[in-house]
Amino acid sequence: MAYQLLPDLDAVLVAFLSGHAALVPLHEGRVGTRLAAGTDPAQRVTSLGGSPEWPWEDRQDFQIESWGGDQGQAKTLARTTEVCIYDLIGPVAGGHVRGLSVQLSQLWSPDDTTGRARYITQISCTCYPEGS
């Protein structure tokens, strides 16, 4: 039996956050799996792994760091992300996101080295390949 590949949720999540109309004015496209240089608001996405139940279903957890030049910018970016993230449910490149939940909301965690403002959100996504 041949199975289809599951969506690349890392790429899907970065593309989603990078292009969401409510988020773009806050981070101006500075979203990736590596933190953008500087002190401007930005987001970093880190895959925390997952627990696939079946070859046709995957559940992955992600950490989304919302960085800002100050605590207010970082918090606004985190709060807006947590409202918008549910728009990810539905068709995505390579499949469908059928479930999403926020597991950790707005954890204040300034950078240990620089003191730069950062909030952490953790989400869990359930996805299926195209055609399922």
Side-chain angles (χ1 to χ4, degrees), residues 11-100:
V12 165
L13 188 54
V14 168
F16 171 81
L17 294 171
S18 295
H20 195 284
L23 295 171
V24 170
L26 301 175
H27 58 50
E28 297 179 2
R30 289 181 295 277
V31 178
T33 55
R34 294 178 187 248
L35 184 61
T39 58
D40 292 329
Q43 289 188 303
R44 176 170 50 190
V45 174
T46 304
S47 174
L48 302 175
S51 56
E53 298 291 324
W54 305 98
W56 58 86
E57 176 183 312
D58 194 13
R59 187 182 65 77
Q60 291 188 33
D61 297 330
F62 292 90
Q63 178 173 292
I64 303 170
E65 297 172 48
S66 297
W67 295 77
D70 60 36
Q71 188 172 1
Q73 283 182 327
K75 181 142 183 134
T76 298
L77 183 53
R79 291 175 62 220
T80 306
T81 298
E82 290 182 17
V83 170
C84 298
I85 199 69
Y86 293 95
D87 291 342
L88 183 59
I89 296 172
V92 297
H96 303 273
V97 171
R98 297 242 173 104
L100 190 141

Side-chain angles (χ1 to χ4, degrees), residues 3-4 9 11 26-27 33-34 36 50-51 62 69 76 80 97 101-102 104 108-110 112 117 122-123 131:
Y3 294 102
Q4 295 177 313
L9 284 182
L26 301 175
H27 58 50
T33 55
R34 294 178 187 248
S51 56
F62 292 90
T76 298
T80 306
V97 171
S101 62
V102 174
L104 177 66
W108 170 240
S109 180
D112 290 336
Q122 185 178 327
I123 64 168

